Each structure stands twice: as structure tokens, then as C-alpha cells.
Amino acid sequence: EPGDTDYTNGMKELSLGNYQSALKLFKKAVDDDNIKARIQLATMFRDGIGVDKNAEEAIGLLNGIHTEDGVSETQLGLMYLKGLGVEKNVEKAVQYFKEAKEKENFDAQSHLGFLHITGNGVDIDYEEGKRLLLESEAKHSHDAEAYLGFMYMEGLGVTRNYSTAIEYLKKAVDGGHLDAHIYLAELYLQGKGTDRQQWGAAKLLLRAAEKGHARAQCYIGIMYRDGIGVAENQKNAQKWLEASAKQNDTLGMYSWGKYLLDSNLEWDWMNVVDLLTKASAKGNNEGDLFDDLYMDGLARVFRLEE
């Protein structure tokens, strides 16, 4: 296939952490219409690997691609599911996942299974969801491992079992699944299914934060702020809370806005109002209870300005 040499060399550079070199090689391969390079470049833009995050650019690279292994359809499904670069559309996400599943893509099958567990875009069907996830886990899908861990952690369609949850989540973490880092860190912090491990939780969250996970950035920022599992470090707290807020994470926007209110830092009150307003609106859409937090924070902005 045209561009294969540039794609292969780009993957080598990527594995060495030479992101700019990899980026140039992938772009060169894309110019030769190399589909694998388009997908990899889309991943870099989506996740902010060596480049600023740009979901719109990722969508542009993925649109119109149909791969034999269903990778492009799976990525498009995830972006529609999360509203990355496009308007959130769960039904369209389900459609893409089903197309990829027909091509025996077990990550797509995992996402479908979890949607059945949560009833997001499809009817709740615990039996079917668990079947799809176990079948995918047997094919070494890290998404399936993370979802199964979450199921046992929350008791969704199964008897809650923290030890089983930890077993699945550790596998997913070893496979680099970032959401699994969050779930496992939560169990470590709460001492569920294991001894309480604040430092272990901090290590997991920091690793995910460094990979660009917005909620992990918020959590590790809070831990640095309060000295939980790590030495208190306000510079690191500011760094991670601001990074999370810049990704429009609901809790990240609220936490960064509140941090600014509580600190001696110079801040633009309109920026804080904007953060709290966005957090409230996004939180309401996600079913989070941010109204009281928002109103308290907003009232304090105006009191401080008087």
C-alpha cells in the first residue's frame, strides 16, 4: 500500500516518543492516502499525542474510511458517543459500533456490551451486555476488561464484588486503558477489595493525567491541592486543575474555578464566572448535581468584587 514505509517508520518514532518525527511521517503517508496513517494521525489529534487536541481534525481524518478490521468505525463511534468534534449522537455511535462488530472488532463489541449494561442508546439488557463483554474479554479487549471491572465495582447486572473488579481493572490498566486507571484509583482510595492505598491511587491518576485524561487531571490536581497520597504542591495542583478545565471536564471546570476563588492568585472574575457557568450547564446535561456548587461559587465571585 502506498505510504506503508512512512507509516511503519512513523510507528517506530512514536514508540520512541519522537512525536514530531512521527507526525511528519504520518502526514507524508496520509498524502499518499495511507488509511492506517490516517487512523493513527486521527488518534494523535483526538488524544493530544504530540499535538494540541483537535477533535474536529480527527473526525475529518476518519470520515469516509471503512476498514476491514472496523477500527475506523469504532473510533468514529466513540467520538459520536462522547461528542468529540461532532454533536453527541448515541444512536449514530451504536450504528458505528454495530458495523465494526460485524467485522469482528471486539473493542466495538465491548462498547456495545457496556451500552446494554447502562441502557445508553439501547435497551438495558444485562445478560446480553455481559455476554458481549465476556466474549470480548476472551479476545483480550482492554475495553472489555475495564467495563467488566466497572460492572463488578458498581454491581451492574452482577453481584458487587470488589476483588473481581480489581482483577479485571488491573488487566485493563496493564493494557493502558485510561478509564480503568480512574476506577482502580477509586477503589484504592476507598480501600474497597484491598487495603487503602492513597499513594497507589495517586500513581494511577498521575499516569492517566500525563496521558491527557481530563478527569484524572482533575483528581490528581485535587490530591496535590490537599496533599492526599502525595506531598501538597500548589503549583502541581494549579497545573492539573487548569489542564482539566481546558478540556471542558465538568468537575475540572468547577474545581479550577473554585481553586481560583479560594486562592491568592490573580484571576479574571469573568473567566471564573465562565468556568462555573459551563460546569453547571454541562453538569446538568450529564445529570450531575452542580447547581448548588455553581450558585455558591458564583455568589462568592460577586461578593469578592463588591
Side-chain angles (χ1 to χ4, degrees), residues 45-48 53 84 208-218 240-250 252-253 275 278 282:
F45 277 113
R46 184 194 68 194
D47 296 340
K53 283 190 177 184
L84 299 175
E210 289 171 341
K211 294 287 186 181
H213 195 289
R215 185 53 60 91
Q217 291 171 341
C218 176
W240 290 119
L241 290 175
E242 184 176 16
S244 179
K246 283 182 175 178
Q247 293 199 64
N248 293 321
D249 180 78
T250 313
M253 289 187 291
L275 284 169
K278 284 182 178 177
K282 195 164 184 281

Side-chain angles (χ1 to χ4, degrees), residues 73-263:
E73 292 90 339
T74 302
Q75 289 208 23
L76 280 167
L78 283 172
M79 297 191 79
Y80 275 102
L81 182 65
K82 298 178 180 180
L84 299 175
V86 290
E87 186 175 346
K88 186 174 180 178
N89 188 324
V90 179
E91 289 73 20
K92 200 161 188 176
V94 169
Q95 178 185 336
Y96 276 119
F97 290 147
K98 285 182 176 178
E99 289 177 16
K101 177 180 176 294
E102 292 302 312
K103 297 179 179 182
E104 297 188 351
N105 186 295
F106 288 98
D107 286 334
Q109 180 169 312
S110 298
H111 300 314
L112 270 179
F114 194 62
L115 291 177
H116 275 297
I117 295 297
T118 59
N120 189 7
V122 293
D123 293 335
I124 287 181
D125 188 334
Y126 292 130
E127 186 175 335
E128 175 65 3
K130 187 177 179 182
R131 183 190 71 78
L132 290 171
L133 288 173
L134 287 173
E135 189 176 292
S136 299
E137 191 267 339
K139 297 293 184 178
H140 311 293
S141 166
H142 299 310
D143 286 313
E145 292 163 351
Y147 290 147
L148 284 164
F150 186 79
M151 280 178 63
Y152 279 99
M153 177 178 167
E154 297 295 331
L156 296 173
V158 293
T159 301
R160 180 175 281 154
N161 187 316
Y162 295 123
S163 297
T164 301
I166 287 173
E167 288 179 19
Y168 279 122
L169 292 174
K170 281 184 174 179
K171 289 181 183 179
V173 164
D174 288 343
H177 196 285
L178 297 185
D179 284 345
H181 284 66
I182 306 295
Y183 305 149
L184 188 57
E186 183 179 330
L187 293 176
Y188 281 174
L189 280 171
Q190 297 176 355
K192 292 180 176 177
T194 180
D195 293 334
R196 183 167 291 174
Q197 304 176 44
Q198 291 185 340
W199 169 234
K203 284 172 62 178
L204 286 166
L205 292 170
L206 185 57
R207 193 184 309 158
E210 289 171 341
K211 294 287 186 181
H213 195 289
R215 185 53 60 91
Q217 291 171 341
C218 176
Y219 286 159
I220 195 64
I222 290 170
M223 293 179 78
Y224 273 118
R225 182 195 70 193
D226 297 340
I228 300 171
V230 290
E232 181 184 326
N233 187 316
Q234 296 307 315
K235 286 188 177 179
N236 282 340
Q238 293 162 24
K239 168 188 170 181
W240 290 119
L241 290 175
E242 184 176 16
S244 179
K246 283 182 175 178
Q247 293 199 64
N248 293 321
D249 180 78
T250 313
L251 188 57
M253 289 187 291
Y254 172 75
S255 298
W256 179 229
K258 186 174 184 299
Y259 186 96
L260 290 172
L261 282 173
D262 292 338
S263 74

